[in-house]
Amino acid sequence: MIHPSCSFLPPSPSPSQHFAFTKKPLLGLADASLCSPGTMSTATNLDGIFKQKQVLRSKVRKSLKSMDPSLRSQEDDAIQSLVLEAPWFKSSQRLCAYITCSALREVDTSKLLSQILQNPTKDGSAQNAKKLYVPRVEDKNSHMRMLNISSMDDLIANSMDILEPAPVDQHGNAREDVMQANDPVDLFLLPGLAFDKSGRRLGRGGGYYDTFLRKYQELAKERDWRQPLLVALSYSLQIIDDGAIPVTLNDVPVDVLVSPAGVIPISQAALNRLAMLDFCNWNRIKLSDMPSMRGHDWLSKEHDIWSL
């Protein structure tokens, strides 16, 4: 059972409909015919989906541009507070997160990044210290890296005036690339233009996040790591009707959606993770002790979150 204080909202419309996309991405409801053999890769069908996405992007951008600044600030605070209080955030040790760009009108992450990058606790313990990786765009071909930073001072403005990590640190050493890291990432905090409660995410059209997420998921699978939790941050007006976002097989769905109204766990992985964290909280078990409990009957093979 999930503790009520976590502000979780129930998945919509039913768990069985959401769990399906954890195995393979969904297609837009209006484009169900694309599932038939020989039609998925046709230029005509893909061109139609891209046009639908562009129309939707235009509508959402206009809505974001007209959003009242005071409302935006209130929703920024509400979303970040929900994340900061979430068990899956508190228990995470390695995270990938985006740096907010005000020109893109993304949900603010400044408080989250500050919390992640804060110094060890006052007693000197580094038990709750977190490691952060942030995006660096390498070219115009959807190539993006996630590099480790230890301070906001590690960021520089690129040609589009978007903050990103310099490729080397102040000592001239190359920053750690998450794809070469020895340990898995627990959590991704993701931006986007629009989302629905079935996990679909509409990006800005560059394909950077979908390309990177697919590569990281493949890496995690190769190394037998637990897949990271994909958490999208969304203003209220960015959440649209289920099925309204057209998608292709290249689009990666999210596991959790956070809006000012609460936290919506979507995928089976998210529900299992939250149930496990709730179990730990109620029984005062440290998360780090959980792997040793693999063989216990309460955690069956089908629901072993350490293999998700």
Side-chain angles (χ1 to χ4, degrees):
M1 118 177 182
I2 305 299
H3 198 279
S5 64
C6 296
S7 301
F8 297 126
L9 297 180
S12 170
S14 70
S16 61
Q17 289 172 293
H18 298 303
F19 298 168
F21 76 70
T22 62
K23 299 302 182 183
K24 61 180 180 180
L26 295 174
L27 295 171
L29 297 182
D31 305 296
S33 61
L34 295 178
C35 292
S36 58
T39 61
M40 172 55 69
S41 61
T42 63
T44 301
N45 288 329
L46 290 177
D47 185 57
I49 291 178
F50 294 148
K51 288 180 178 178
Q52 291 177 51
K53 287 186 174 184
Q54 285 301 98
V55 170
L56 186 54
R57 288 189 182 104
S58 179
K59 291 180 179 179
V60 177
R61 285 193 180 103
K62 289 179 180 178
S63 296
L64 286 171
K65 187 176 182 179
S66 62
M67 187 178 183
D68 183 85
S70 61
L71 176 61
R72 182 189 304 277
S73 179
Q74 291 174 15
E75 295 206 356
D76 281 332
D77 289 342
I79 293 168
Q80 291 183 95
S81 293
L82 285 167
V83 174
L84 289 172
E85 291 302 316
W88 40 261
F89 176 81
K90 291 181 177 181
S91 65
S92 62
Q93 295 180 312
R94 291 165 295 277
L95 306 88
C96 289
Y98 68 94
I99 308 296
T100 305
C101 176
S102 58
L104 297 179
R105 300 179 174 87
E106 296 170 327
V107 172
D108 186 24
T109 57
S110 59
K111 292 181 181 179
L112 301 177
L113 300 181
S114 176
Q115 178 70 21
I116 296 169
L117 293 171
Q118 73 174 358
N119 293 326
T121 53
K122 293 182 180 180
D123 62 1
S125 171
Q127 181 178 359
N128 297 321
K130 299 180 187 297
K131 194 169 188 178
L132 176 64
Y133 300 86
V134 296
R136 176 182 171 84
V137 173
E138 296 296 335
D139 54 38
K140 296 182 179 180
N141 298 314
S142 304
H143 180 208
M144 179 177 77
R145 292 195 294 161
M146 288 278 184
L147 303 181
N148 175 236
I149 64 169
S150 56
S151 166
M152 294 299 286
D153 294 334
D154 294 339
L155 304 175
I156 57 175
N158 64 15
S159 59
M160 297 182 65
D161 203 31
I162 297 175
L163 291 176
E164 60 182 18
V168 296
D169 62 22
Q170 65 270 31
H171 303 296
N173 299 316
R175 295 190 184 280
E176 182 182 46
D177 187 321
V178 74
M179 297 297 289
Q180 275 79 54
N182 294 323
D183 299 301
V185 168
D186 302 306
L187 175 67
F188 277 82
L189 295 177
L190 304 172
L193 265 179
F195 310 91
D196 71 16
K197 294 179 182 179
S198 71
R200 297 178 184 182
R201 171 187 169 274
L202 179 70
R204 298 182 180 274
Y208 289 94
Y209 275 94
D210 287 320
T211 300
F212 182 86
L213 290 173
R214 287 198 308 274
K215 289 180 178 179
Y216 191 84
Q217 288 175 334
E218 291 172 1
L219 176 68
K221 185 176 180 180
E222 290 173 2
R223 298 189 179 183
D224 197 26
W225 287 343
R226 180 181 63 182
Q227 291 291 343
L229 201 64
L230 307 184
V231 179
L233 308 184
S234 173
Y235 291 122
S236 299
L237 63 81
Q238 291 179 284
I239 301 178
I240 62 179
D241 294 339
D242 288 358
I245 300 177
V247 293
T248 70
L249 291 177
N250 291 324
D251 295 313
V252 179
V254 301
D255 299 307
V256 177
L257 181 61
V258 183
S259 78
V263 178
I264 306 174
I266 299 171
S267 70
Q268 180 69 66
L271 290 170
N272 283 348
R273 195 82 56 91
L274 297 177
M276 179 275 295
L277 288 168
D278 189 62
F279 178 90
C280 291
N281 290 337
W282 277 101
N283 293 275
R284 299 183 179 180
I285 298 174
K286 292 182 179 180
L287 187 63
S288 58
D289 294 335
M290 291 299 291
S292 64
M293 300 180 69
R294 278 178 178 267
H296 288 227
D297 293 336
W298 73 275
L299 197 58
S300 67
K301 181 178 180 180
E302 292 77 9
H303 296 89
D304 184 353
I305 62 142
W306 298 103
S307 65
L308 292 174

